[in-house]
Structure formats: structure tokens, C-alpha cells
Amino acid sequence: MGLSQSRSLVTRELVEKTGFSAEQIEHLHKRFIYLTGDKPVLSKRDLEKVSDLEQNPIRDKIKNAFFDRRNLRTGSYGYESEINFEQFLIIMSYFRPMGGHMDEENISLCRKDKLKFLFNMYDTDNDSKITLDEYRNVVEELLSGNPHIEKETARSIADGAMMEAASICVGQMEPDQIYEGITFEDFLKIWEGIDIETKMHVRFLNMDTIPSCH
């Protein structure tokens, strides 16, 4: 088998695994090579080249998400120190827009995958729920760039949002009942009716030609 045939076979396998077209895989490979400096693996330090990402208040959580074994489908706990191109494609597949040609079942599956990615990003201790402390941390980071919002205000916002989540997911709670955290099932309820497409975009990687989910 010649080199070109071998590359073609690898590309076809990646198309099947990720849903990207051959053209988009080539485009993504150029971005991967740019970020890694022509190395075969990507590290967190390489992501520092993405200027838009460096300006994001939750950049550390986004970087960690690229190496989270839950998102890479290589395990249920922990992080990889580096990822190869195929793993990079797996992560980027979470950001593909949901196309109008998709049937209702595929749209639901694609949306669920996206929300699971977000959930994993917030569930930093991997206990299958977003606790109040984890949610406070996210809100504080998101608001860290606003000099007019103090830490206590951010905590109050997080506390209020957690109470609202409890009311949506549990309903009327007893006075002594404790809401331990947002499970993934709760997370799906909270995001019901919210446009996930506007929350998960890849502008920081210049991915404006990414194909739709299949």
C-alpha cells in the first residue's frame, strides 16, 4: 500500500469516527500542526497560542476539557498530559453545529453530547454532580473581569442560581432538605429550551467551516 493510499485510509477512518469531512480534517490538521509546532501531540501549553482563549475568564476549565478522559472517551477519571490529532478531533467534534438535515433523534443525541461536555467542565471533582462550591467557582471566574462585582456578589449570584436549579429539578423542597448538587439529568432539565449552539462555538480556532453533526 502506497503512502497516499495509507493516508487516505486513515482519513476515511477519522471521517467515520468523528463525522468530519476529509476537507475539514485537513483544515483541522493544519490548525493542530500550528498549535503544536509540528509535533505529533498537543499539550496545554500549546493552547496558549490561541489568543481568544487566553482572554476567556474560564480558560483553565476549557483547557482542562481538552485533556479530560471523560471527553476523550478513554476513561471515567483524570486527565491526559498530551493528546494526539485523533483525540483533538474528538474534542472538536463536540463543537460541531447541529445541521438542519438531522432528524429529531440525532439532534437530541448531538445536543446531549454537547451538554455532557459542558457538564464535565463544571464537575471538576468527577463525582457526577455540580456542587455549590463548583458552581460558585465557575460564576466567580466568569465575573472576574468585572471590577464592579465583588466576590461576595458573585457567590450570591451562584447561590441564587443553585436554588433555582433545585426548584426546577426537585420542586418544592422540605425545610430540612438539602440539594446536594446538579446531576447530569438535572443539567439537561435546566438547559431544556436553551440554544446550546450560541454557547459552544469555536471562533478561537477559526473553525467557521465546521460541518454539522451527522
Side-chain angles (χ1 to χ4, degrees), residues 102-130:
M102 296 172 60
D103 60 32
E104 194 170 317
E105 181 179 358
N106 283 327
I107 287 176
S108 178
L109 289 173
C110 189
R111 177 182 171 83
K112 191 172 184 178
D113 283 344
K114 291 173 181 288
L115 289 173
K116 186 63 175 177
F117 182 90
L118 282 179
F119 181 85
N120 290 342
M121 193 162 65
Y122 298 156
D123 176 26
T124 54
D125 63 359
N126 196 21
D127 65 349
S128 298
K129 61 178 177 289
I130 302 170

Side-chain angles (χ1 to χ4, degrees), residues 21-61:
S21 68
E23 180 183 359
Q24 289 303 317
I25 288 174
E26 181 181 357
H27 175 68
L28 280 163
H29 189 256
K30 289 178 181 178
R31 292 298 295 168
F32 182 82
I33 292 301
Y34 164 74
L35 292 173
T36 65
D38 208 21
K39 299 192 305 291
V41 291
L42 177 82
S43 67
K44 287 184 183 179
R45 178 171 293 182
D46 293 327
L47 292 177
E48 293 176 3
K49 295 180 181 178
V50 184
S51 58
D52 285 348
L53 179 58
E54 285 305 302
Q55 296 168 15
N56 193 302
I58 58 169
R59 56 187 171 274
D60 289 337
K61 283 183 170 55

Side-chain angles (χ1 to χ4, degrees), residues 162-193:
M162 186 64 78
M163 289 180 64
E164 183 177 356
S167 67
I168 293 172
C169 303
V170 181
Q172 186 65 39
M173 297 177 64
E174 298 297 328
D176 59 345
Q177 187 176 354
I178 298 175
Y179 184 58
E180 297 184 352
I182 302 171
T183 65
F184 183 56
E185 289 69 26
D186 292 343
F187 200 66
L188 291 176
K189 291 179 184 177
I190 293 167
W191 278 82
E192 188 173 349

Side-chain angles (χ1 to χ4, degrees), residues 174-214:
E174 298 297 328
D176 59 345
Q177 187 176 354
I178 298 175
Y179 184 58
E180 297 184 352
I182 302 171
T183 65
F184 183 56
E185 289 69 26
D186 292 343
F187 200 66
L188 291 176
K189 291 179 184 177
I190 293 167
W191 278 82
E192 188 173 349
I194 299 176
D195 181 14
I196 187 65
E197 295 291 282
T198 61
K199 308 298 180 182
M200 293 185 67
H201 60 85
V202 284
R203 183 173 63 86
F204 63 85
L205 283 173
N206 295 329
M207 301 307 303
D208 45 357
T209 56
I210 290 296
S212 301
C213 294
H214 294 315

Side-chain angles (χ1 to χ4, degrees), residues 5 19 32 37-38 41 46 51-52 63 79-80 85 94-95 104 118 133 144 150 160 167:
Q5 288 179 304
F32 182 82
D38 208 21
V41 291
D46 293 327
S51 58
D52 285 348
K63 289 178 184 178
Y79 299 88
E80 301 291 348
F85 179 59
Y94 290 104
F95 296 89
E104 194 170 317
L118 282 179
D133 284 342
S144 61
E150 298 179 353
S167 67

